[in-house]
Amino acid sequence: MTSPTQLAEAFRAQGLKVTPQRQLLFTLLEGDTTHPTAESLYVRASAQMPGISLRTVYTTLTDLVAMGELHVVALGSGATRFGPNIDDHHHGVCDDCGAIVDVYVQGSEDLVVRGDSRFTPKSASIVFQGS
């Protein structure tokens, strides 16, 4: 993820307001490898800035995703998670604790999909499960 300062500049360049609440969220997300939910990020932000709204958290996350600065990690169950690592990668999920880690798979960009010739995949996501 881009640094908090660069994110603030990118927000301003798109005509988006850079509030103290958003700056806090940028800082909390920087280097966060836990793949937080909006709710868990809200709890952490509230501890530092009482009065921040959950709506502000969701709006900021939505804006970051739209800007390509944050990935949505939807694993099919539970709340949507967000990952600030925008490199090409996949995910591993711990069966015991539910933690999500970034996984790099060599050669995954060269995978060939066979099936209906009318289907053209735009992206792929591999989720490894284990403990």
Side-chain angles (χ1 to χ4, degrees):
M1 182 172 177
T2 310
S3 75
T5 302
Q6 292 169 317
L7 287 176
E9 291 170 7
F11 263 57
R12 286 186 188 103
Q14 293 200 12
L16 299 171
K17 291 183 180 181
V18 178
T19 63
Q21 292 86 349
R22 284 187 164 178
Q23 289 176 321
L24 173 61
L25 294 170
F26 298 161
T27 300
L28 291 175
L29 285 166
E30 184 181 35
D32 186 337
T33 61
T34 66
H35 301 82
T37 63
E39 291 78 10
S40 68
L41 191 59
Y42 168 72
V43 169
R44 289 174 43 211
S46 292
Q48 293 185 40
M49 186 179 286
I52 189 171
S53 72
L54 184 57
R55 180 178 180 177
T56 296
V57 173
Y58 272 108
T59 301
T60 303
L61 293 173
T62 300
D63 290 340
L64 287 169
V65 169
M67 294 169 64
E69 296 292 345
L70 194 64
H71 281 164
V72 172
V73 182
L75 300 174
S77 62
T80 299
R81 311 280 289 263
F82 296 89
N85 178 357
I86 57 173
D87 293 339
D88 186 21
H89 68 283
H90 303 284
H91 296 100
V93 180
C94 178
D95 291 333
D96 297 330
C97 68
I100 301 171
V101 296
D102 293 337
V103 176
Y104 294 87
V105 180
Q106 187 174 13
S108 63
E109 62 279 352
D110 297 325
L111 293 174
V112 176
V113 177
R114 297 179 197 264
D116 192 320
S117 63
R118 296 171 291 173
F119 176 75
T120 304
K122 292 185 275 183
S123 66
S125 176
I126 300 171
V127 177
F128 297 91
Q129 293 185 284
S131 53

